[in-house]
Amino acid sequence: MPGYAMEKEQVQARLARIEGQVRGIARMVDEDRYCIDVLDQVASVTKALQGVAIGLVHEHLAHCVADAVGESDQAGQAKIDEATTAIARLVRS
Amino acid sequence: MPGYAMEKEQVQARLARIEGQVRGIARMVDEDRYCIDVLDQVASVTKALQGVAIGLVHEHLAHCVADAVGESDQAGQAKIDEATTAIARLVRS
Amino acid sequence: MPGYAMEKEQVQARLARIEGQVRGIARMVDEDRYCIDVLDQVASVTKALQGVAIGLVHEHLAHCVADAVGESDQAGQAKIDEATTAIARLVRS
Amino acid sequence: MPGYAMEKEQVQARLARIEGQVRGIARMVDEDRYCIDVLDQVASVTKALQGVAIGLVHEHLAHCVADAVGESDQAGQAKIDEATTAIARLVRS
C-alpha cells in the first residue's frame, strides 16, 4: 500500500481527530489561553486537513482518474482537467 | 472596529461552524460522495481556519504586542519575534 | 485546449515574467520602498509561481501519468504515487 | 539579532539567489527535464520567497509598526490593521 493511500476508515479516523482538535481550540479560546498557543493549534489542524486532502487526491487519481484514462482518451482528459482544478484550489487555499 | 478584529464570541461562532463543516465532510466520506466534492469542502474548511488564524494574529498584534511595545523596547521586540515565528508557521502550513 | 494546459512556450513566458518580478522586488528593496508594497509583490510572485506549478501538474497528469496508466496498472500506480508526493510538496509549500 | 531579522543585504542576497533559481527552472523546462524535478524546484523557490516574506514581516513589525505604536494608539492600530491585511495575503497565497 503506497504512502498516500487512505482507506475510508483512516480518512474517518483523521476527520474525527480533526473535529476533536477544533473543539479543543474552541475550549482554549474560552479559557483565554495565550493567542500564540491557539494559533499554533490552528496551524496544526490546517496541516492535518491538508494531509486528508492529499490522501483524497491520491485515491481520486488512483481510482476515478486511472479508470477514466483506461476507458478513453477523452474521458481521461476530462477527469484530469477536473482533478487539476481541485488541486489548484488546495494549493491556493 | 477594523476588518480583522474578532471578538471572542465571533471566534467561537466561526470555530463552531468549522466543527460542523468537518462533521459534514465525515458524513460525505461515509456516503461515498464524489472525491472532488469532498476535496472542495476540505479546501473550504482550510480557508475558514486561516480566516480564524488571521483574526487571532490581529488580536495578538493589537493587544499583547502593542502593550509590550508600550512597556519597553526589549519586551516589544521579544513579542514581535514570537509573533513572527507564529506567522511563519501559518504561512508555511 | 483545457484551462490548465500550458505549452512549453507559455511556461517559459511565465517564468521570464516571474524572473523580472523578482528583479523588480530587489529594486524595490534597494530603493527602500514601503515594506507592505514589497510584501504584496512577494505574495504576487508566489501566486504566479503556483500558477506555473499547477500548469506543470496538469501536463504531468495528462502525459506521463496517463501514458503510464495506459501501459500497465503497476506503472500507472507508481506514477500516481510519485505525482501525489509532488502535489503534497506544493500544497505544503 | 533575532532569528527573523534580515538586513537589506541579506534580503538582496536571497532575492538574487531566487532570481537565479527561477532562471534555472526555465533552463530545466528548455532541456525537457522531468516534470516532477521541475515541480520540486518550483516548490523550493516558493518556500524561499516565503522566507523572504517572513523576514520582511519581521522588519515591518519591529520598525514601522513598533514606531507607530510608540507614537499613538491610533497610529499603532492603523499600522497593525495594514500589517494584518498583508499577512492575510501571504497566508492565502
Side-chain angles (χ1 to χ4, degrees), chain D residues 13-71:
Chain D
R14 287 200 193 197
L15 287 170
R17 195 162 51 232
I18 287 167
E19 197 195 316
Q21 284 178 294
V22 174
R23 236 186 339 258
I25 296 171
R27 209 161 32 233
M28 288 174 85
V29 171
D30 204 53
E31 296 168 354
D32 288 314
R33 293 276 292 279
Y34 187 47
C35 327
I36 297 291
D37 295 336
V38 182
L39 266 175
D40 283 350
Q41 271 306 102
V42 175
S44 153
V45 176
T46 304
K47 268 183 210 294
L49 270 170
Q50 287 169 338
V52 170
I54 298 299
L56 294 169
V57 165
H58 183 272
E59 289 310 287
H60 186 63
L61 294 176
H63 299 116
C64 310
V65 173
D67 289 355
V69 167
E71 209 185 289

Side-chain angles (χ1 to χ4, degrees), chain B residues 3-93:
Chain B
Y4 288 106
M6 271 205 272
E7 297 296 332
K8 205 169 153 172
E9 287 72 29
Q10 248 185 299
V11 176
Q12 293 291 25
R14 287 201 193 197
L15 287 170
R17 193 161 54 229
I18 288 168
E19 198 195 316
Q21 284 178 295
V22 174
R23 235 185 340 258
I25 295 172
R27 209 162 31 235
M28 288 174 85
V29 171
D30 204 52
E31 294 167 356
D32 289 314
R33 293 276 291 280
Y34 188 46
C35 327
I36 296 292
D37 296 336
V38 181
L39 266 176
D40 283 350
Q41 270 306 101
V42 174
S44 152
V45 175
T46 303
K47 268 183 212 292
L49 271 170
Q50 287 169 338
V52 170
I54 298 299
L56 294 168
V57 165
H58 183 271
E59 289 310 287
H60 187 63
L61 294 177
H63 299 117
C64 311
V65 173
D67 289 355
V69 167
E71 210 185 288
S72 80
D73 260 21
Q74 211 190 329
Q77 295 304 321
K79 284 292 178 201
I80 284 168
D81 289 356
E82 187 192 52
T84 306
T85 305
I87 292 164
R89 223 167 279 145
L90 286 179
V91 170
R92 285 164 176 154
S93 76

Side-chain angles (χ1 to χ4, degrees), chain C residues 11-43:
Chain C
V11 176
Q12 293 291 26
R14 287 200 192 198
L15 288 171
R17 193 161 54 229
I18 288 168
E19 198 195 316
Q21 284 179 294
V22 174
R23 231 179 351 251
I25 295 172
R27 209 162 31 234
M28 289 174 85
V29 171
D30 204 53
E31 296 166 355
D32 288 313
R33 292 276 292 279
Y34 189 45
C35 325
I36 296 292
D37 296 336
V38 182
L39 266 175
D40 284 350
Q41 271 305 103
V42 175

